[in-house]
């Protein structure tokens, strides 16, 4: 169910939510957090779809802030999505204009779930300092997605310069399975020093840079990046050791081959992770991702831009 509320107020939105709850049942019970999504000028539907899917694991209230396309004085258009249009959440789409755009925290506060954690997500372009943004200051976790930025690598450096505990990036989450597989291979004998690491992948994909930064930080070895135009994200990680190379190769974006000295080749399902599963993973934890912070601030400086 979608309810349109043009030229409204947050008070009227809350009243309408209470009315729908009384008529349709306790739709707000069991919500575990408030997810604020700031989409700027972009269409919010892709982000809403991902949030709806993630809400089946993390029931929440989703508040979407989208720029008003009309040149008007202070005005608020809203849309409430419930039931089949909202997954296991309730979605409020707000389109503020005029003075309201400059006071987003004041606009959102009356709509927050009481006594529930707040997560803010920027699915497209990111602020210079997420923790100091009005929507970021109120959040326990702040999620960005540099893969969707116009200049992904520059965005990574911006995040590194302004990192605060609670920040994370979905480009880091997309490399989680790669990091797990590489760590597992290094936990097996022979326990040799890695002399050099090579990460190959799409030329501007920030997951490639974060994977290289993680290896540089964790292994304290030289790391080289091979940038391939139009490749499917990360395509290969190669670790050079005295006894022979460890190679994790995924040229098609679906299945990886793990090759190690004196062992048969292993085929591993390693599809490119979808937005909804990355978002769901990040909503599972509300504490600081300390490894991400170390890699972003220290590991990224060890590799070439």
């Amino acid at each position: 169910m979608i309810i349109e509320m043009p030229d409204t107020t947050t008070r009227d939105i809350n009243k309408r939510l209470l009315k729908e709850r009384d008529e349709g049942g306790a739709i707000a019970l069991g919500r575990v957090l408030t997810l604020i999504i700031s989409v700027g000028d972009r269409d919010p539907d892709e982000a809403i779809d991902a949030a709806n899917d993630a809400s089946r694991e993390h029931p929440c209230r989703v508040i979407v802030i989208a720029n008003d396309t009309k040149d008007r004085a202070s005005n608020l258009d809203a849309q409430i999505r419930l039931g089949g249009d909202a997954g296991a959440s309730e979605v409020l789409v707000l389109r503020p204009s005029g003075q309201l755009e400059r006071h987003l925290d004041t606009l959102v506060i009356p709509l927050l779930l009481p006594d529930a954690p707040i997560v803010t997500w920027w699915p497209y372009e990111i602020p210079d300092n997420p923790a100091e943004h009005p929507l970021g200051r109120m959040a326990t976790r702040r999620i960005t997605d540099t893969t969707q930025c116009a200049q992904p690598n520059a965005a990574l450096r911006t995040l590194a310069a302004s990192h605060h505990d609670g920040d994370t990036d979905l480009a880091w989450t997309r490399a989680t399975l790669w990091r797990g597989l590489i760590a597992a291979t290094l936990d097996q004998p022979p326990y040799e020093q890695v002399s050099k690491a090579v990460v190959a992948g799409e030329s501007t994909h920030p997951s490639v840079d974060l994977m290289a930064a993680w290896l540089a930080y964790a292994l304290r070895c030289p790391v080289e990046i091979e940038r391939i135009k139009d490749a499917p994200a990360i395509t290969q990680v190669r670790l050079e050791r005295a006894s022979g190379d460890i190679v994790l190769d995924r040229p098609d974006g679906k299945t990886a081959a793990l090759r190690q000295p004196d062992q048969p080749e292993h085929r591993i399902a390693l599809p490119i992770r979808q937005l909804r599963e990355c978002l769901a993973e990040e909503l599972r934890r509300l504490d600081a991702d300390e490894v991400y912070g170390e890699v972003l601030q220290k590991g990224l400086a060890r590799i070439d831009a």
Side-chain angles (χ1 to χ4, degrees):
M1 177 172 60
I2 297 179
I3 303 166
E4 299 288 351
M5 299 185 66
D7 194 11
T8 189
T9 65
T10 54
R11 184 174 183 177
D12 288 340
I13 294 170
N14 269 321
K15 284 182 178 179
R16 187 58 185 265
L17 283 170
L18 287 172
K19 177 177 180 290
E20 295 301 326
R21 186 182 308 165
D22 290 341
E23 293 180 356
I27 59 174
L29 294 181
R31 302 287 183 254
V32 298
L33 59 87
T34 300
L35 175 62
I36 302 172
I37 308 175
S38 179
V39 300
D41 296 323
R42 304 288 288 271
D43 187 330
D45 282 343
E46 182 179 2
I48 291 173
D49 288 344
N52 286 346
D53 281 346
S55 75
R56 303 183 194 284
E57 182 177 339
H58 312 279
C60 58
R61 173 174 289 180
V62 179
I63 303 175
V64 183
I65 310 293
N67 290 353
D68 193 342
T69 56
K70 303 171 185 176
D71 186 13
R72 298 183 292 179
S74 296
N75 192 80
L76 175 63
D77 290 345
Q79 184 186 81
I80 300 175
R81 302 187 184 187
L82 303 170
D85 293 294
S89 63
E90 50 195 6
V91 179
L92 312 178
V93 183
L94 309 181
R95 294 187 182 276
S97 59
Q99 290 290 333
L100 294 178
E101 290 184 298
R102 291 185 279 274
H103 302 283
L104 295 178
D105 50 348
T106 304
L107 175 67
V108 166
I109 285 173
L111 300 172
L112 300 175
L113 291 176
D115 302 320
I118 302 166
V119 178
T120 300
W121 173 32
W122 291 270
Y124 301 110
E125 296 300 328
I126 64 175
D128 289 338
N129 189 335
E132 294 301 322
H133 187 277
L135 297 178
R137 281 196 296 265
M138 65 176 66
T140 304
R141 291 294 305 277
R142 294 165 295 276
I143 303 172
T144 53
D145 191 354
T146 50
T147 61
Q148 298 298 314
C149 293
Q151 297 180 308
N153 293 327
L156 272 184
R157 268 67 187 182
T158 297
L159 291 175
S162 63
H163 179 76
H164 288 73
D165 287 347
D167 294 354
T168 196
D169 190 84
L170 294 185
W172 171 253
T173 318
R174 288 183 173 92
T176 297
L177 300 180
W178 283 84
R179 298 196 309 274
L181 288 168
I182 292 298
T185 62
L186 292 175
D187 280 342
Q188 302 173 19
Y191 304 105
E192 295 178 315
Q193 177 69 32
V194 175
S195 59
K196 178 183 175 182
V198 179
V199 180
E202 207 281 324
S203 54
T204 62
H205 202 294
S207 294
V208 174
D209 292 73
L210 286 172
M211 187 70 191
W214 175 69
L215 291 170
Y217 172 76
L219 301 179
R220 300 293 194 273
C221 70
V223 180
E224 178 182 321
I225 298 178
E226 295 180 357
R227 301 188 185 275
I228 306 167
K229 186 177 180 181
D230 298 327
I234 302 173
T235 58
Q236 187 184 94
V237 173
R238 185 171 72 254
L239 306 179
E240 299 180 2
R241 301 193 300 183
S243 63
D245 295 352
I246 297 173
V247 180
L248 184 60
D249 191 24
R250 187 190 64 179
D252 62 357
K254 297 177 182 178
T255 304
L258 177 61
R259 295 187 289 273
Q260 304 176 76
D262 303 321
Q263 292 192 31
E265 179 177 292
H266 298 282
R267 305 291 291 182
I268 304 166
L270 191 61
I272 294 176
R273 303 191 77 190
Q274 300 302 306
L275 175 61
R276 60 197 65 185
E277 61 181 305
C278 292
L279 179 62
E281 178 179 320
E282 287 303 328
L283 294 179
R284 288 185 198 123
R285 59 180 303 170
L286 296 175
D287 59 322
D289 188 338
E290 296 177 356
V291 176
Y292 166 72
E294 293 290 315
V295 168
L296 188 67
Q297 293 184 290
K298 299 178 181 179
L300 205 59
R302 294 172 173 265
I303 64 172
D304 295 330

